Amino acid sequence: MKVPKAGAVAAVIALAATASGCGGDAPKEPLSIGIKFDQPGIGMREADGTFTGFDVDVATYIAKELGYKPNEIEFKQVYSSDRELLLQYNEVKFVAASYSINAKRQEKVDFAGPYFVAHQDLLVRADDGSITKGEDLNTKKLCSVTGSTSAENVKNNLAPKASVLELGGYSECLVALQDGLVDAMTTDNSILAGYSARKGNEGKFKLVGLRLSNENYGIGVKKGDNDLQRKINTALTKMVSDGSWEAAVKKNFGPANYKYEPAPQVTTGS
């Protein structure tokens, strides 16, 4: 039997070790996170391709606690009408997209959190003083986004005679409001404040200042993924305790002089 030379054996061992080392350093699968791309202050894809907003900061913090660096995150656009589907079909690992927790949604997905409390309000043109309460919408045209809870709340509880235009995104509603096609747009005050403070919109719009509902934002995860739910809850609790939550709120909402609620207690999945 021919015995291999010592040098050849060493080369084989070195090659095996190198291959093993490469495997350990292989890049991990990107963490896909669903966010909004058109909500200034919440989730926004900027012209240069970067992402800004409170939900982006929260998602990035959670990802860090799950072991992912910022360059290992893949942000995917979600709309209010398709968040549950993207989770159900594993298109995203979790959703951080001004996602209000309610019983209807909890039938299809699970939530971590809540991590933020907002209130439904109305955004109107700065020179319009005709809308001061929800009932005033009975004779007005209102814009909201398909799949959101805001229009449903107005029609069912506040102004059943309101004419409601539902569009695909809040940016479209803002254009309709600016052009006079509608008299108001409605969603959470955090989102409306972001649009009002956006560069180029200063002085054009104003919040009416109503609290038409309480919206507890949660992180959506696939139904039954209790392990991920617990890990995200742990991350959210840590984000509040180490001051990162407060810093993110001030960074994203401070310029709009937005009066935010204190961080809520994590209650889901705990």
Side-chain angles (χ1 to χ4, degrees), residues 4-83:
K5 294 181 181 180
V9 173
V12 171
I13 292 173
L15 182 61
T18 302
S20 174
C22 288
D25 294 337
K28 61 178 72 172
E29 184 94 6
L31 178 66
S32 295
I33 303 173
I35 64 168
K36 293 293 183 69
F37 277 24
D38 69 339
Q39 292 182 353
I42 299 285
M44 189 75 187
R45 188 181 191 277
E46 303 292 347
D48 62 1
T50 59
F51 298 94
T52 61
F54 180 70
D55 279 348
V56 174
D57 291 342
V58 170
T60 302
Y61 189 98
I62 292 170
K64 174 177 68 73
E65 294 301 304
L66 295 176
Y68 291 84
K69 299 174 184 177
N71 64 354
E72 296 170 334
I73 298 172
E74 179 187 13
F75 287 119
K76 290 188 176 182
Q77 184 173 20
V78 298
Y79 298 94
S80 295
S81 57
D82 67 6
R83 290 174 290 203

Side-chain angles (χ1 to χ4, degrees), residues 15 20 131 137 155 183:
L15 182 61
S20 174
I131 301 175
L137 295 171
K155 291 290 286 184
D183 302 297

Side-chain angles (χ1 to χ4, degrees), residues 29-267:
E29 184 94 6
L31 178 66
S32 295
I33 303 173
I35 64 168
K36 293 293 183 69
F37 277 24
D38 69 339
Q39 292 182 353
I42 299 285
M44 189 75 187
R45 188 181 191 277
E46 303 292 347
D48 62 1
T50 59
F51 298 94
T52 61
F54 180 70
D55 279 348
V56 174
D57 291 342
V58 170
T60 302
Y61 189 98
I62 292 170
K64 174 177 68 73
E65 294 301 304
L66 295 176
Y68 291 84
K69 299 174 184 177
N71 64 354
E72 296 170 334
I73 298 172
E74 179 187 13
F75 287 119
K76 290 188 176 182
Q77 184 173 20
V78 298
Y79 298 94
S80 295
S81 57
D82 67 6
R83 290 174 290 203
E84 290 85 12
L85 285 174
L86 291 175
L87 287 167
Q88 289 168 350
Y89 287 97
N90 301 311
E91 292 294 321
V92 294
K93 192 67 175 176
F94 64 85
V95 170
S98 55
Y99 203 2
S100 299
I101 302 169
N102 63 39
K104 185 177 179 181
R105 289 169 178 167
Q106 285 177 307
E107 294 174 1
K108 298 179 180 179
V109 301
D110 286 329
F111 285 96
Y115 65 95
F116 192 80
V117 179
H119 303 283
Q120 184 182 349
D121 199 356
L122 302 173
L123 189 72
V124 299
R125 290 180 291 278
D127 59 355
D128 186 350
S130 65
I131 301 175
T132 59
K133 56 186 183 298
E135 291 77 6
D136 292 336
L137 295 171
N138 275 312
T139 58
K140 302 291 185 179
K141 293 180 181 179
L142 176 69
C143 189
S144 191
V145 169
T146 305
S148 76
T149 57
S150 302
E152 186 178 340
N153 182 42
V154 169
K155 291 290 286 184
N156 291 345
N157 303 311
L158 300 168
K161 295 181 181 178
S163 173
V164 178
L165 174 66
E166 293 190 72
L167 297 176
Y170 294 107
S171 296
E172 297 170 47
C173 275
L174 193 74
V175 172
L177 178 61
Q178 180 173 302
D179 292 347
L181 301 177
V182 296
D183 302 297
M185 64 179 279
T186 186
T187 185
D188 305 343
N189 51 7
S190 56
I191 299 170
L192 297 176
Y195 276 110
S196 181
R198 186 76 169 167
K199 186 176 180 180
N201 291 340
E202 303 98 325
K204 293 182 179 179
F205 309 100
K206 65 181 180 181
L207 275 75
V208 175
L210 305 178
R211 291 191 171 193
L212 303 178
S213 70
N214 297 320
E215 305 295 337
N216 291 283
Y217 290 176
I219 304 294
V221 302
K222 188 174 183 178
K223 191 74 176 174
D225 196 343
N226 304 121
D227 182 55
L228 180 60
Q229 184 186 42
R230 282 192 296 270
K231 288 178 179 177
I232 293 177
N233 277 335
T234 299
L236 292 173
T237 302
K238 182 179 178 182
M239 187 178 186
V240 173
S241 65
D242 70 12
S244 299
W245 185 92
E246 185 85 12
V249 170
K250 289 181 177 178
K251 182 183 83 172
N252 291 291
F253 300 128
N257 198 28
Y258 171 62
K259 295 178 176 61
Y260 58 88
E261 299 276 352
Q265 184 74 33
V266 170
T267 57

